[in-house]
Amino acid sequence: MRRGWWLVRWLGTGMAILSLLTHSWGQDTEDWQYEECKLSRPGPPATIVTIDEESPNGTVLVGNMQINGRPQDPGRTISLLLLDNYDYWVILDPTRQRLYLNSTGRVLDRDPPNSITTIVVQIQCTNELVGTIILHEVRIVVRDKNDNTPRFQQPRYYVAVNELTPVGTTIFTGFAGNNGATDIDDGPNGHIEYSILYNPNDPASNGTVSVANTLSGHITLAERLNYEERTRYLVLVQANDRAPYPPNRRTATTTLTVDVLDGDDLGPMFLPCVLVNNTRDCNPITYHVAIPEFTEPSKLNPLNVTPSIRAVDMDRNIQPPSDRPGIHYFILVGHPNTYPEYFSLNRTTAELHVLQPISRDVYQRFTLIIKAEQDNGHPLPAYADLIIEILDENNQAPYFQFATYQGYVSESSPVGTTISASANLTAPLGVIALDNDIEETKDPMVKITLNDYTTIFGLTPTGLIRYLRLLKPVDREKQMTYTFTMVSSDGVQQSIPVTVNILVLDANDNTPTFPEVSYSVEVFTDMQQGETVLQLTAADADEGLNGLVTYEILAGAQGDFIINNRTGRITVAPGVTLTVGRSYALTVKASDNAPETQRRSSITTVYIEVLPPNNQSPPRFPLFTYSLEVSEAMRIGAILLNLQATDRENDPITYRIVSGDSQKVFNLSETIGLLLLDQPLDRETTDKYRLIVTASDGNPGGTSTTTVNIVVTDVNDNDPKFNITTPTNFTVQEEQADLFIGEVTATDPDAGPNGQVRYRIVNHPDLFTISENGSIYTRVPLDRELRSQYSLVVEASDGAVDPRRTSLTLSIQVTDIDDNSPMFSQQTYVVNVPENSPVGTVVLKLSAVDSDLISNVTYRIKTESAQQLFSLNPITGELAVLQTLDFENLAAMGMGAFYTFQVEAVDQGGVMPPGQATVTVRITDMNDFSPIFVQDLYKGLVAPNAEKGTVITTVLAEDQDPPGTPASFVRYRVDLDRSPYSGSIFDVEEVSGRVITKVNLNEEPSVTFKLFVIAFDDGEPVKTNSTLVEITVLQPSRIPIFTQEEYKFSPVSELAPFGKRVGTILAAAVNQTIFYSIVAGNELGHFQVNNRTGVISTAKPLDYENVTSYVLRVQADSMVVVMSNLRAPSKTNTAKVFIEVLDENDHPPVFTRKLYIGGVTEDTKIFSSVLKIVATDKDTGNYSAMAYRLIIPPTPEGQDSFVIETYTGIIKSAMMFRNMRRSYFKFEVIATDDYGIGLSSSAEVVVSVVNALDMQVVVSTVPPTLVEEKKEELIRILERHVQDQIPGAKVIVEAIGPRRHGDGFELEDYSKTDLMVYAIDPLTNRAISRQELFKFLDGNVLDINKEFQPHLGEGGRILEIRSPDIVASVKKAAQAVGYTEGALLALAIIIILCCIPAILIVMVTYKQFKERQAECAKTARIQMALPPGGKAPPAAAPSANLYEELGDNSMRRGYGRQQQQLLRPSLLRPEELSMESGIDPGQDYYTQDYYNYDQGYDLPQFGSRRRLIPPMYDEYGEVIMEDDGYYYSGPETARKKRIKLVVDRENETSSTGEESTTDTQWNRPPNSNINGNVYLAQNGSIVRTRRLPHPNNLKGGSPCRLGKQFKKLDKLGVTHEEPPPVISIEGSGINTENGTGSCSPSDVDVNLNTRSSCGSLGSTNNELKTFGSKTSIAKALIDRNNIGPCVSDEQETCVDNHKSSRETLECHSDHTLSDEDELWMGPWNSLHIPMTKL
């Protein structure tokens, strides 16, 4: 029966499943036709493909559109049509759903001018079944190819640089904008980088300049320039694109000509300049002059100095020439000290004058040092010596000190050797000639001549002691002595001749020499010992020991022969018996007896043959086989080999070649056996010979044979020869590089390297190149306009050391293309046109030429406004006037006197742009008016001793010609014809008209000078006018005299009031009233002087920060002179007044910023530097010394968050910032000068708390040390790019270190840098999100790299911008977790498929469950309406709201526990967060953003944008992770509180409230059995901590027990669906609030696994929201031993169902949770199961 029931049950289940599958299949069969025309692939609806530009026609764009349906018959279901196919670039194959490129007759070009970047078409699909139409977009993106080469906009570039320009200065920015190289490619293919190439024609240019920024091409100076060494550099600049694959990059080159301008870096130099050792330094120069004694100066002046005194500035090419300094000359010092009385040197002309006659008895010589310096104050003067000789009367003849001189010289002495006075050659021979007219200690300057041997000996020309020098080598063996005479002369008289004898000393310069090179001797066996074998003699031409020869046998004697070392006689050694047939080769050395280091020697060879007494043997060759190599270039007749054989009997020998020489190439002498070359050799014909040679003495058996092997070696005797069929005439098109021209071929029959042919371009290697196979190409683009034909010499050479060469001349004809615009003969034309010129007047004829072969040039005016005034003949280029132009009318209309416009020359048949030139037509004014003086007569006074440059009066003339024209510009000069003497002592300044003294005056008083002054203009013609200036020399008595030349008064405070007395000046005069005035130094009018008393006082406020001191020039004049409107400055009536300004503290400090923004990380240590505050003060001294302090709002803890160093301004952290991310601190900084007792200013400071999740890492290619050095500059660049998006943002550096890389970022690379930065938003005072910061920086990385490069150097750039290491680690961990979740998901799907029958059963029983649930709800409402324990409810008391929106009240726990604050409801719901304290309810958060908190949560004091996220706890109830959330902390910092639901097994108490971290505050019994803690999360999740073992604990944590739990709900009979009315219980001391609560009797196991939780813990998600915002959490106190009424803080409910509550709930699984397990019930709160107990 039971088995049948199961069978029926399973059949029913199968029928239900089959019904569901049938319904689903039927639905699918109806919907398939609507799937036609839809894409079968996943992903976006648009199809996006890419294609390279210039792809060939027919390239497949889309292989298959993947549209559902059949597009062809039969069975067609869809139709495809191509729409929006503009320009027909796309072809559709509807049957295959394929798209092709259609580029027939054209090219798909992404670059300008076509600029085809994308092609967008629509594929219209019509569903033939239902008639619907779907459009599918296809977007074809054209990828760029690097097919364009960068092009420079100018053929060449030029820059002029002064040699004084500092190294590192940017000298050329001409590549900026569009003036440099451009590339029309896109992306990196179009980005240009510049670099310097090695220029073989100018190697030094590479190191002279460098590219500061490869992107902008700015050229900086790398080495200091020196105009004196080099004036021009040719810098080869290369521009290349930035194609990703370097070999594909294209380049272009241009030449930057750098001209060096001369700067004033050198001082003057005296001429003539004799360079020192090929340097640019001059040898010290000495000027000489001789003057006779007692001669009148008028007869000598100016003195004739030799050479003439002249100095020039070594910077000889300073431009413009007007900037070149003048040279002033001075006598610096001299000896004797009285030289100023006798000589003077003109300051400007350097003329030397003698002032009075000089007696030689008093002074014989003056030695002066003269100085030349520039008149611009250059610090490098030049010095020279000036020697002035005082000559005596010439009345005595010169004479020699000795009558005869004996000298010695070695024959080995080189030319220039000084003749010695002794035979040991130690002291030179000195010749002294004296003249009594000149003192003995001085050079008499006589001339000494030799009567003979003048070509061998010479005498030094000057000096008191003269020396004989050797002019030509001497040889003692030719001449041993030289005798000649000397005569000295002073030009008037001559001395008595003296004799000079020179003896040539021997030197070991000859080698002992043997008469013969070798000797041959025959000896016989019967020779006795001591018998002479040979007498040797060697001769030596030297004398003494140098000529004494000694002999010795070096080798070969074998002890059988000896030689006498003196005579050279060779004898048989004693006791020696000679043996027949032996031969000896004795090496004999002959040497002289000179010192060892100078000894000379020679050697000879003595051949000795021992013979028998009669003929017993045939001739014998020394060798059986001879081998030799003979060059084929050996001359005819050359001796190749000595085949001489020896016959002991000395019989005559006959030699003969038996075989091997059929061509008679060799000749063997029959008698002496020498093998000679008889005919020339040719290796190319025969390269080896084998000769058989015999030697015979004529006796029977007297013949010997030997073999001679001769190898003929190759010589380079053949020239390479060009192929006779090679063409010699070629053509090539201009303006193309690497273009093939033609090919030549040459061969060489020689062997080895001598036959290897190489090619070379001889005459144009810079224009053409030739390959190894003879192919000729153009090296650079040719320009036919520069040269149309080239005679190219190609040289073919072999590979020998001294190669042979053959050349071939090719004719290269350059063909023309239209590549030139017409060029005007001048780029700028300037022409002067007189005003009122008649219409049609031709003012200019333009000329332009097109260099191309075929051109038709016409002319036109480009500027439209000029077409109204001028006409240009298009054929002749004549420019004519269209209107009459009046200068004055044009000036009145403000049009000016210049017309500048553009003209063009157009090639009518060409494609090049027209040539342009600028024409400036200058309308010249006719000079209509002459200058007119304001006064006819000018008068002035001058002191009799006035200094040069004293201003006397000022003349003024006016010209009525239009202002600004040359005719209106008036200048002045002195009329020297009418006032010759006055013009020599007075002058007039050309521009200002001031009449000044030209020299220092020394005139008689009361004299009047008449000076005529002419005023003239610059008009055409020049017009003039004149006036008279009368200058009277004032009486000295009328000129006051100051008591001091300089006055120095006490410093004046800059805060001195007006009229503050500074000091008094005083001048004296006889019977004169003195008038004081300030004539200079008071241009700003800060001071005034009392005209009568001379008291100087302040007239305006002083400012030490602008002017620290004044130098006033005051003048005292006679009142009579002043009343005549005249002045007479002189040395005595003018004085200087020095006034120092005393600084006061009148400027408050000024901060560099009004708002300082900084940042700290959460792990920042205490007293870490945060930022530096800088304030400046214009005052000086202590008044600018700052003291800083902070004004920070007080905190509840009374702890300062930051401190500042008083005198450095460095702000440091004073607390830990843990758990305070996105908080900020805002306070004020005060700066007070004078070390804190002076004036003050303030600024605001904002410090934001960040962590690594707010940062980005900028990875660069340079080491950290360089980034640290350039940190400020780099941060300013990054900050500027961030501020483009967020104005005022502040970028802060967190760390600079080596680049970290690898999987775990454990590797470090110190050649690269990680720069970790973050940015603060000044509006929110918080860090900009990491994603935004990445977008701001990574999106501008190319521009940032351009700005970084000047600071990071060549190759320095940003590699990447990445997230910090911690972010990458979190993502990696999350990815690993994702794999696990995927596996669990697959497992869950399998379980669900297996549990389908069980789910169907649950669905059937769900209805029964809902009915039981309703019954439970009804029971719960009845129980809630009853009073606890059957007692009547007490009178309703006003309920206290324990949870207020803006603050917390206090509630008292049971049993007299202390009050504690509760959590604000506003902190439980993010949508109701208050904006107070900076909390932003809309702030996003990231679930991976967790931090550890050990002691609860602190609420930040200064604002936070933290979002409250549910905390996570460990098994002991401690918080381990938190996501951007805070729990509220009250002012009591020692007590960290959390909201917890606490179930106390000892007291059966379930409560919500605050928990202190200290157990003593809970007042628990020491041995209480704590069941566990339950934490309430924001979303209502219930988190249960580990509990201690209890016998009644329910082991029901598995979801598989859910079915039985539903059954137990019926027995529990308690549910809560609606909040009941508030019930207050008097006398309990416990307040209740609107909510729901439940309690259990004492014998019920109060455990969240089995029993009901209070409040809304069992509610649905909607109820949970109410729990977080409006319903308070119950705090229930249940006495375990009392089954009486239960008390709840909110609502009390008793469940009297003891038996059912004690039942044990079991599952089909025997596994139960252990006591150490945790029960996490959070995920089950989403089930809509209202229950009080689980």
Side-chain angles (χ1 to χ4, degrees), residues 777-899:
Y777 299 83
T778 57
R779 183 183 294 273
V780 296
L782 302 179
D783 192 348
R784 189 207 62 80
E785 288 71 32
L786 296 179
R787 188 167 180 177
S788 61
Q789 192 273 340
Y790 294 86
S791 294
L792 188 65
V793 178
V794 178
E795 181 186 85
S797 61
D798 52 35
V801 177
D802 185 14
R804 302 175 70 95
R805 297 177 172 85
T806 302
S807 62
L808 177 66
T809 301
L810 307 177
S811 178
I812 309 295
Q813 195 72 28
V814 184
T815 60
D816 184 45
I817 63 173
D818 186 15
D819 60 339
N820 289 278
S821 299
M823 294 288 293
F824 281 95
S825 59
Q826 299 175 221
Q827 289 298 314
T828 301
Y829 294 88
V830 179
V831 60
N832 294 328
V833 179
E835 61 176 333
N836 302 323
S837 297
V839 175
T841 301
V842 176
V843 298
L844 180 64
K845 185 174 183 179
L846 305 176
S847 175
V849 178
D850 193 326
S851 301
D852 294 321
L853 287 177
I854 302 175
S855 62
N856 182 16
V857 179
T858 60
Y859 306 92
R860 66 188 181 192
I861 297 176
K862 181 180 179 181
T863 307
E864 295 182 1
S865 59
Q867 296 174 3
Q868 309 299 322
L869 301 176
F870 304 97
S871 64
L872 182 60
N873 190 306
I875 305 300
T876 64
E878 293 180 345
L879 183 68
V881 178
L882 285 180
Q883 299 181 14
T884 301
L885 304 176
D886 182 72
F887 182 88
E888 283 74 20
N889 292 339
L890 295 174
M893 293 186 296
M895 300 180 64
F898 296 87
Y899 283 100

Side-chain angles (χ1 to χ4, degrees), residues 316-370:
R316 303 189 182 185
N317 199 25
I318 296 177
Q319 299 296 332
S322 59
D323 290 346
R324 299 174 188 172
I327 306 296
H328 288 171
Y329 303 88
F330 306 92
I331 299 177
L332 189 61
V333 292
H335 178 78
N337 295 332
T338 56
Y339 74 89
E341 301 176 7
Y342 297 96
F343 300 99
S344 68
L345 187 66
N346 189 288
R347 183 176 181 180
T348 56
T349 64
E351 291 180 349
L352 182 64
H353 291 258
V354 61
L355 302 180
Q356 58 180 324
I358 305 173
S359 172
R360 191 176 184 276
D361 296 334
V362 180
Y363 302 108
Q364 291 79 36
R365 172 187 288 188
F366 288 86
T367 302
L368 309 180
I369 297 177
I370 58 177

Side-chain angles (χ1 to χ4, degrees), residues 274-285:
V274 179
L275 299 180
V276 179
N277 298 329
N278 296 324
T279 66
R280 293 188 175 273
D281 298 327
C282 298
N283 274 312
I285 190 170

Side-chain angles (χ1 to χ4, degrees), residues 700-711:
T703 301
S704 298
T705 303
T706 188
T707 302
V708 179
N709 294 317
I710 301 175
V711 176

Side-chain angles (χ1 to χ4, degrees), residues 1114-1280:
V1114 295
Q1115 182 171 322
D1117 294 288
S1118 172
M1119 182 61 72
V1120 177
V1121 176
V1122 174
M1123 295 182 66
S1124 302
N1125 291 326
L1126 299 175
R1127 295 293 178 93
S1130 69
K1131 293 182 180 180
T1132 60
N1133 72 337
T1134 58
K1136 290 183 179 179
V1137 178
F1138 297 90
I1139 302 176
E1140 298 290 337
V1141 181
L1142 184 64
D1143 188 25
E1144 299 288 351
N1145 192 8
D1146 57 340
H1147 291 86
V1150 177
F1151 285 94
T1152 55
R1153 300 176 184 173
K1154 293 184 179 179
L1155 174 63
Y1156 290 87
I1157 299 177
V1160 294
T1161 59
E1162 289 186 317
D1163 56 355
T1164 297
K1165 298 180 180 180
I1166 296 179
F1167 296 122
S1168 298
S1169 297
V1170 178
L1171 57 89
K1172 183 175 182 179
I1173 306 297
V1174 177
T1176 59
D1177 197 319
K1178 292 182 179 180
D1179 296 318
T1180 59
N1182 289 349
Y1183 296 147
S1184 61
M1186 299 297 155
Y1188 301 91
R1189 57 190 176 91
L1190 299 180
I1191 299 180
I1192 303 179
T1195 60
E1197 297 83 358
Q1199 179 184 6
D1200 290 334
S1201 51
F1202 296 94
V1203 294
I1204 189 170
E1205 292 184 356
T1206 305
Y1207 300 113
T1208 64
I1210 298 177
I1211 295 179
K1212 295 187 175 182
S1213 59
M1215 60 178 288
M1216 299 292 290
F1217 302 96
R1218 191 174 182 182
N1219 312 334
M1220 297 179 66
R1221 177 176 176 246
R1222 306 199 66 78
S1223 302
Y1224 65 88
F1225 299 84
K1226 190 171 185 179
F1227 48 90
E1228 189 176 9
V1229 59
I1230 305 295
T1232 306
D1233 58 21
D1234 200 5
Y1235 291 106
I1237 61 174
L1239 304 178
S1240 301
S1241 296
S1242 64
E1244 289 186 346
V1245 180
V1246 171
V1247 181
S1248 182
V1249 183
V1250 301
N1251 64 15
L1253 297 179
D1254 300 314
M1255 302 178 188
Q1256 289 289 350
V1257 178
V1258 180
V1259 184
S1260 58
T1261 60
V1262 296
T1265 54
L1266 180 58
V1267 175
E1268 183 70 35
E1269 179 183 351
K1270 301 292 184 180
K1271 178 176 68 174
E1272 298 299 331
E1273 294 84 352
L1274 304 183
I1275 290 304
R1276 278 196 294 268
I1277 295 172
L1278 297 177
E1279 198 168 69
R1280 185 163 56 252

Side-chain angles (χ1 to χ4, degrees), residues 145 186 289 304 373 399 430 467 491 522 654 741 777 811 853 996 1043 1278 1438 1603:
K145 285 178 61 178
D186 187 59
V289 60
N304 185 17
E373 64 181 11
Y399 63 94
Y467 298 98
E522 296 177 350
T654 303
I741 299 175
Y777 299 83
S811 178
L853 287 177
I996 60 175
T1043 57
L1278 297 177

